[in-house]
Amino acid sequence: MKPVDSRYMAANIPAFMLRSLVMTLRDSGLDAGRLLVGLGLTLEDLQDPACRVSFRQGREAILRALQMAPGRALGLETGCRQKINSVGLVGYAMLTAATIGEAVKLGLQFQKDTGSMLEFDTRVTSDGIAVTAASRFHEPSIYTFLVEEAFANFMSIGIGLVGDGFKPLRIELAYPAPVHAGAYRDVFDCEIRFGCVENVFLFDPALYKRALATADPFSHRQLCEFIAYHRTRSREAAEITESVERVLRQKLQERINISKVAKALGMSERTLRRRLAESAVSFQGLLDDLRKNRALELLANPHMSVEQIAFAVGFTDPHNFRRAFRRWTGTTPGALRTDLSAIWPE
């Protein structure tokens, strides 16, 4: 069996985009609650600024949204909904930068703090400033949505920085024209090219030097220092958390405890407890989250009984598993499996 890339499963993506997707569906009269059933997330979780999702969870939510609204320009609608301040502190830091060029560079520097599921880069070309978008993982089923959402969001950010007169010079897209291709012209009001080598958002280089009316050197420095400090703390927390989770995933079927995990990581139990406490996480919380998420994945397999799932996530007694599952999700494994079958039939 091919191993799963740990980055695909790591919950390290801010939920900004999913929050906007939920609002897009709600405004269309669709049941946004369907997006997260069985994913280990709730709509309330998305409202928490500290909420992080994995690429796997984001992918599944997007796929479900596309099924609920076939033929719609859902990525464009979701991206247009987001404003420059919709991406939290990074957006405010961009607004207080001295020039548009500095704001763009800042956005790219902190792109992983804005909830993107793509990778962005920028370069100067003979035609203008090109911001490119590439996929972190090969996911053709949601690729168009992600690029649409990102470029429509760029459009909203450009308007936030420049004003209503902002528009790109050209949009290039590395996929064929979708059925809703006409919506691109309405959003971007520029030349659109499909079937290109890469995804490019091209804009006028003269904008790079334009001063921002909202520039504030003191606030900008304060915001950048806070974001950098928070990123450092987040990296430290992610390092120890991911190390513990890696060991737990390997031994999820066993009777695992913190002492065994500390030994596997080459540190004392006391040191591990201290480092987890500094990261504001608990060993039991990490173990419960892994068990819950793995159980939710396995429940989607109709060939596995609840008892088999219980053993697969480290419970020797299925009754204890059922009690724990109710504590984690507010329902029973059987009831959730029934709900999944009703909402997302095979």
Side-chain angles (χ1 to χ4, degrees):
M1 181 182 294
K2 184 179 179 180
V4 178
D5 189 331
S6 61
R7 297 173 302 160
Y8 190 79
M9 305 295 289
N12 55 15
I13 303 172
F16 298 120
M17 184 271 288
L18 287 185
R19 278 199 289 273
S20 294
L21 178 57
V22 165
M23 289 188 286
T24 300
L25 295 177
R26 281 178 170 167
D27 287 351
S28 302
L30 298 171
D31 181 9
R34 297 177 62 192
L35 288 187
L36 305 179
V37 174
L39 297 185
L41 289 166
T42 66
L43 294 178
E44 291 72 25
D45 290 334
L46 296 184
Q47 300 308 312
D48 183 352
C51 179
R52 297 291 184 272
V53 300
S54 67
F55 194 100
R56 180 191 68 82
Q57 290 169 316
R59 171 190 179 276
E60 184 61 31
I62 293 168
L63 282 176
R64 293 176 178 183
L66 293 172
Q67 290 177 38
M68 293 167 65
R72 288 263 298 275
L74 206 57
L76 295 177
E77 293 177 43
T78 301
C80 286
R81 177 179 295 277
Q82 300 175 68
K83 308 305 178 187
I84 191 169
N85 57 355
S86 298
V87 293
L89 292 176
V90 174
Y92 288 103
M94 292 174 72
L95 280 169
T96 56
T99 64
I100 290 173
E102 289 185 22
V104 171
K105 290 175 183 177
L106 187 72
L108 292 172
Q109 178 186 350
F110 292 126
Q111 59 183 271
K112 288 186 172 61
D113 298 84
T114 62
S116 172
M117 294 171 65
L118 297 173
E119 298 282 357
F120 303 114
D121 204 352
T122 185
R123 66 175 182 267
V124 179
T125 73
S126 57
D127 293 332
I129 305 293
V131 180
T132 60
S135 182
R136 292 190 192 179
F137 302 96
H138 180 64
E139 286 290 355
S141 53
I142 63 169
Y143 181 61
T144 299
F145 172 93
L146 292 177
V147 176
E148 286 182 353
E149 186 274 333
F151 280 9
N153 191 15
F154 288 177
M155 191 70 190
S156 295
I157 289 173
I159 291 172
L161 294 173
V162 178
D164 291 338
F166 172 79
K167 68 175 183 179
L169 296 174
R170 187 172 66 244
I171 299 291
E172 298 178 6
L173 301 155
Y175 50 81
V179 294
H180 54 266
Y184 283 70
R185 175 73 64 179
D186 296 333
V187 171
F188 301 109
D189 189 27
C190 70
E191 180 187 359
I192 310 293
R193 297 181 183 176
F194 291 99
C196 298
V197 176
E198 59 183 343
N199 303 297
V200 176
F201 187 100
L202 190 74
F203 65 94
D204 188 346
L207 292 175
Y208 242 41
K209 297 181 180 179
R210 183 182 294 187
L212 286 173
T214 51
D216 186 320
F218 177 80
S219 296
H220 183 71
R221 178 177 175 180
Q222 191 175 43
L223 285 162
C224 289
E225 288 179 353
F226 183 82
I227 293 170
Y229 170 77
H230 181 72
R231 289 187 92 196
T232 300
R233 292 299 301 271
S234 296
R235 279 198 298 269
E236 291 171 354
E239 180 181 289
I240 188 61
T241 298
E242 289 173 7
S243 296
V244 172
E245 287 179 341
R246 184 178 65 253
V247 176
L248 289 176
R249 275 193 292 269
Q250 295 169 352
K251 302 177 182 295
L252 202 56
Q253 291 181 302
E254 305 175 16
R255 294 181 63 83
I256 189 68
N257 56 43
I258 191 169
S259 178
K260 292 179 180 178
V261 172
K263 184 177 181 180
L265 294 175
M267 65 179 70
S268 68
E269 180 180 336
R270 181 178 179 181
T271 298
L272 179 55
R273 286 188 184 277
R274 176 178 56 78
R275 292 192 62 185
L276 288 174
E278 289 172 350
S279 302
V281 296
S282 72
F283 176 80
Q284 190 60 47
L286 293 176
L287 179 57
D288 283 348
D289 283 346
L290 282 173
R291 284 174 163 173
K292 177 186 71 173
N293 290 332
R294 180 60 176 153
L296 289 169
E297 288 181 38
L298 296 177
L299 277 171
N301 180 354
H303 302 295
M304 286 194 74
S305 68
V306 171
E307 288 73 18
Q308 288 174 315
I309 294 172
F311 296 140
V313 298
F315 286 84
T316 56
D317 184 346
H319 295 293
N320 289 338
F321 168 67
R322 288 187 174 91
R323 281 196 293 271
F325 193 88
R326 180 180 286 278
R327 186 177 74 251
W328 299 333
T329 65
T331 188
T332 65
L336 184 57
R337 173 172 270 174
T338 301
D339 288 345
L340 281 169
S341 299
I343 295 175
W344 301 107
E346 294 294 329

